[in-house]
Amino acid sequence: MTLLLTLPAILIVILIGFVPVFKAFLDASIVDGLLSVSNFQYIIQDNGFFFSLKISILWAFLNTIIILCLGLLIAHFLNEMKRWKTLYLALLVPWGIPLYIGVPIWRSIIHRGSGFSPLNLIGLDINMLTDPMSAFLSALFVSVWFGLPITVFVLWGAMATIPKGLTDSVKLDGGTNTTLLFNLYLPTLKPTLVTMFVLNFLKFMKEFSVVFLMTDGGPPLVSGFTKRSIIGATTTLDIFIYDIFMGRNETGIVSAYSVLTLLVVAFMMVLWFLSSREKPNLIFLITITLVAHLAVGGCSGLIIGPLYLLTFYRRGCFAPVLLADIATNLITVLSLGFLKGLNPATIVSFLVFMIIRKQAGSQRVFRGSERAFKIMKYLLISGVIIAALLPLVHLLWISLSAVSTTFIDSPLPKFLTLGNFKRVMKEERILRVFFNTLLVSALTGILTPLLTFHLASFLRKHRGTFSDLMIVLLNMAGVIGGMHTLVPLYNLFNSIGMIDSYFPIILIYSAHAIPFSVFTIRTYLSTIPASLEDQARIDGLGSVGYNYRILLPLSKPVLTTSFIVAFLGAWNGFLVPLLFIFSDSKYTIGVKLYSYVGSLGSGYTQWNLFGAAAVINLLIMGLVFYTFRGHLGKTPLSEHYE
């Protein structure tokens, strides 16, 4: 009976996470009822996909490197500071603001739309419509701003596990903050850093919302014009697939692009699994490096790739071969240009190098200048705080302006008004939109813990092949999704007439929340004494009765956490309703806010209405956090838990 109760969660994960993979393969491989590779031949004849792949890999690499470097520094500051609440609150701002609010606000701050930008006041003139480099770097900045907090919190938590005696010993021996960072924290946290590197890289490889809302693919690159596509400065793989999906009615072609993207994601998932192992498989890693160079490395890959085979005979050869690989890559990029010259396999080689070296430590003792370190510390902390306050102030300002403008030239708008809030309430019927969002979010939030409680209980109690398989499936389901799986899902639900309804949206958001919910509930249940179940059996309770009458009441805090995470995930969602909802009356808040400001090149924008609706949305989210704050952080059988 217990196993039967786990089936709904398993089936939803399979339907949303893995059925699209098989459907994409079928749609791409079957033409007129026969197996065919014509769709893949069509793609290979055009460089558009491979150009967008290079942009995606560079985008993911730069995001990951910058976030890890800044995250390590800020985590170190937080770990050493006595008064850390201001910095902590500043980090909560990008973590708590939905993408569909934060990205347009940053776009309005950075971009010189209608001839003006707030950055003009400090001498910066950025036009993301015409300057590819400005578009890429601006989107990169916003992506780092959103991605930084979670990495900081993970590294800060890892630093807190290091015994205080070790840090005191370093200081007694004359070590500086630089010594602590490079000789204690960095070697100790290297496995965590490698895992975060691979996970962040995989996440940013599938980036869509930030790029779409910020630059919509960016201005075209000079070498980005191909036979069938135009590649912009920020045309990542998911943006490329979205453009193909919206512009073509040929399911087979779109599915073929999705299949190739899935293969890239699967390749990165293999690296993720290898990075999580205590002792990486060197032969497998070198083989992956060689395959990457032969598959996407071009002429330079055919030369450099086989050199990595030397590592089979001498492990120390990997570093010099990697340096030669990087040097060759730089030369080809300088001579042929970015899109034609970049070898993306070089970045894969760098990832493999990090995995191989994650257990290695440095013998050199670093003793940097304390003064320089303090200057960098205060500059970075000031930057984080300013970057947290600026979008909030900007949002409030435009919400109070009677004119749709993003140029702030005075402390208060010249045409100060509260009329925008009245307009979105009466004319725009924003309450209806919030009700739609509440309906989707509440059903997702309720469904998620109901689906996952029995599965988490089963995985906690049983060990074996089935449990191991479920854990692997949940891990894969948590990272495999993206535009490349949403397109086949759209085709699947469209074939049964369920587009423009909330049912697929709720299923998709529930599937996204299930892995986190299962692992969280499972960890929580493992802290409950096993003697309770023995006592329940003596009293005549079976497994199902024990789950409902004992575990379920004790699990109220973690079930509430599961509800909140799933609820907020659905409330903050943008991409899924953007694809699946067409009717204005069914819009969720993310799509409604997007309709006010559109993409970067939109001619008619209503920033004042966007600001008013966004402020109301943030107030509602704050109310949700405040309402459920008392249920978080409690443990089973706690004396404070009633």
Side-chain angles (χ1 to χ4, degrees):
M1 183 63 180
T2 303
L3 183 60
L4 186 63
L5 292 172
T6 66
L7 287 180
I10 296 172
L11 291 176
I12 289 178
V13 169
I14 293 174
L15 172 64
I16 302 301
F18 299 101
V19 169
V21 176
F22 295 106
K23 179 167 177 56
F25 273 98
L26 288 176
D27 290 341
S29 304
I30 297 179
V31 179
D32 297 329
L34 299 174
L35 285 175
S36 173
V37 295
S38 59
N39 289 324
F40 297 101
Q41 289 176 340
Y42 177 90
I43 293 175
I44 293 173
Q45 292 170 0
D46 184 68
N47 287 325
F49 175 83
F50 299 102
F51 286 171
S52 65
L53 172 62
K54 293 181 179 183
I55 292 173
S56 292
I57 290 178
L58 180 65
W59 169 267
F61 181 75
L62 292 177
N63 263 290
T64 304
I65 285 290
I66 294 171
I67 285 176
L68 278 183
C69 292
L70 293 179
L72 186 63
L73 283 172
I74 296 173
H76 175 48
F77 299 156
L78 286 168
N79 201 47
E80 296 296 317
M81 291 169 63
K82 294 181 179 179
R83 298 179 180 179
W84 47 263
K85 287 189 177 180
T86 302
L87 179 57
Y88 176 74
L89 291 174
L91 289 168
L92 287 180
V93 172
W95 185 72
I97 292 182
L99 290 173
Y100 54 74
I101 293 177
V103 177
I105 284 297
W106 274 114
R107 190 181 87 202
S108 69
I109 293 172
I110 295 173
H111 177 58
R112 181 170 58 84
S114 303
F116 295 104
S117 163
L119 295 183
N120 294 155
L121 299 175
I122 58 174
L124 291 178
D125 186 13
I126 298 175
N127 192 325
M128 295 187 291
L129 274 175
T130 58
D131 186 351
M133 183 62 71
S134 295
F136 185 89
L137 293 179
S138 299
L140 181 66
F141 166 78
V142 175
S143 182
V144 168
W145 187 74
F146 275 106
L148 185 60
I150 187 64
T151 299
V152 170
F153 296 149
V154 170
L155 295 178
W156 186 20
M159 285 181 182
T161 63
I162 298 175
K164 194 174 185 302
L166 289 178
T167 59
D168 292 339
S169 298
V170 173
K171 293 176 181 178
L172 287 173
D173 291 339
T176 62
N177 275 293
T178 308
T179 311
L180 276 175
L181 186 63
F182 286 98
N183 291 101
L184 178 60
Y185 292 143
L186 192 58
T188 306
L189 300 180
K190 189 174 284 188
T192 303
L193 287 168
V194 171
T195 301
M196 290 298 296
F197 188 100
V198 178
L199 284 176
N200 278 339
F201 191 91
L202 185 57
K203 169 192 169 185
F204 290 114
M205 274 290 295
K206 304 179 297 174
E207 185 74 79
F208 176 83
S209 295
V210 170
V211 178
F212 178 76
L213 291 169
M214 191 71 182
T215 62
D216 195 18
L221 297 170
V222 174
S223 56
F225 291 87
T226 67
K227 294 179 180 179
R228 304 186 182 98
S229 54
I230 300 175
I231 304 300
T234 55
T235 305
T236 57
L237 280 175
D238 277 19
I239 292 290
F240 183 77
I241 292 175
Y242 177 79
D243 290 340
I244 296 293
F245 172 68
M246 298 301 291
R248 303 183 68 96
N249 293 321
E250 301 177 30
T251 302
I253 297 294
V254 179
S255 297
Y257 281 114
S258 297
V259 167
L260 293 181
T261 305
L262 278 165
L263 292 176
V264 174
V265 172
F267 186 85
M268 298 309 304
M269 287 176 64
V270 171
L271 286 179
W272 170 45
F273 282 120
L274 290 174
S275 70
S276 63
R277 299 182 62 176
E278 187 174 349
K279 292 184 178 180
N281 188 321
L282 183 62
I283 295 177
F284 198 19
L285 287 169
I286 295 173
T287 303
I288 286 177
T289 305
L290 177 61
V291 169
H293 277 276
L294 296 179
V296 297
C299 295
S300 62
L302 294 176
I303 298 172
I304 295 293
L307 294 179
Y308 284 101
L309 295 176
L310 296 173
T311 313
F312 282 132
Y313 304 101
R314 189 173 180 181
R315 189 169 178 174
C317 291
F318 198 99
V321 174
L322 177 60
L323 290 175
D325 192 356
I326 294 172
T328 304
N329 214 345
L330 289 174
I331 293 171
T332 54
V333 168
L334 291 174
S335 59
L336 300 177
F338 168 72
L339 289 181
K340 295 181 179 179
L342 179 68
N343 176 8
T346 302
I347 296 177
V348 175
S349 301
F350 182 80
L351 288 172
V352 170
F353 177 73
M354 289 191 64
I355 295 172
I356 293 174
R357 296 280 298 174
K358 72 175 182 178
Q359 298 295 343
S362 174
Q363 301 299 321
R364 178 186 172 187
V365 177
F366 293 86
R367 298 184 187 275
S369 169
E370 280 293 288
R371 183 179 179 182
F373 192 87
K374 285 184 178 180
I375 292 174
M376 180 179 63
K377 171 183 175 180
Y378 290 124
L379 286 175
L380 188 54
I381 291 175
S382 299
V384 170
I385 294 173
I386 292 171
L389 292 175
L390 185 59
L392 294 178
V393 172
H394 195 79
L395 176 63
L396 185 61
W397 194 95
I398 64 175
S399 71
L400 297 174
S401 173
V403 182
S404 177
T405 180
T406 60
F407 181 65
I408 299 178
D409 56 355
S410 59
L412 291 174
K414 293 180 180 178
F415 303 98
L416 184 66
T417 181
L418 294 175
N420 297 324
F421 295 92
K422 295 179 181 178
R423 284 184 61 189
V424 295
M425 289 289 188
K426 294 182 178 180
E427 299 176 16
E428 300 295 323
R429 302 178 64 187
I430 201 70
L431 291 180
R432 175 65 184 179
V433 177
F434 280 123
F435 175 79
N436 296 340
T437 312
L438 178 63
L439 178 64
V440 172
S441 303
L443 290 176
T444 302
I446 294 170
L447 188 62
T448 299
L450 289 178
L451 289 170
T452 55
F453 175 74
H454 288 287
L455 180 57
S457 177
F458 179 85
L459 293 177
R460 175 192 68 93
K461 186 177 179 181
H462 296 85
R463 305 288 181 181
T465 304
F466 179 78
S467 297
D468 293 340
L469 178 61
M470 285 301 99
I471 292 172
V472 171
L473 287 177
L474 289 171
N475 277 321
M476 292 178 64
V479 296
I480 199 173
M483 181 62 71
H484 47 279
T485 56
L486 285 177
V487 168
L489 270 178
Y490 177 92
N491 294 330
L492 176 64
F493 283 110
N494 189 38
S495 65
I496 56 177
M498 300 197 71
I499 298 300
D500 202 27
S501 72
Y502 296 135
F503 180 74
I505 298 176
I506 293 170
L507 275 186
I508 292 170
Y509 282 141
S510 297
H512 291 171
I514 281 174
F516 172 83
S517 180
V518 168
F519 292 129
T520 304
I521 296 174
R522 180 193 182 203
T523 302
Y524 187 91
L525 294 179
S526 65
T527 64
I528 297 178
S531 58
L532 280 180
E533 186 170 5
D534 297 334
Q535 184 63 44
R537 287 183 177 179
I538 294 173
D539 293 339
L541 282 178
S543 297
V544 177
Y546 172 71
N547 283 347
Y548 277 112
R549 299 182 63 178
I550 305 296
L551 286 186
L552 193 60
L554 289 174
S555 302
K556 183 180 177 182
V558 75
L559 293 176
T560 304
T561 301
S562 174
F563 169 83
I564 294 172
V565 171
F567 180 93
L568 292 176
W571 188 284
N572 293 339
F574 169 73
L575 174 55
V576 179
L578 177 69
L579 283 180
F580 285 83
I581 297 297
F582 302 137
S583 303
D584 293 356
S585 61
K586 296 180 180 179
Y587 277 175
T588 57
I589 187 61
V591 181
K592 183 64 176 178
L593 288 175
Y594 172 72
S595 71
Y596 288 136
V597 295
S599 58
L600 180 62
S602 298
Y604 178 69
T605 54
Q606 297 173 290
W607 284 103
N608 49 350
L609 299 185
F610 169 87
V615 168
I616 297 172
N617 184 73
L618 292 179
L619 291 175
I620 293 174
M621 292 178 62
L623 180 63
V624 171
F625 272 114
Y626 182 81
T627 302
F628 291 101
R629 74 192 189 285
H631 294 278
L632 303 177
K634 291 180 178 176
T635 58
L637 305 182
S638 169
E639 61 181 358
H640 301 293
Y641 176 61
E642 299 177 357

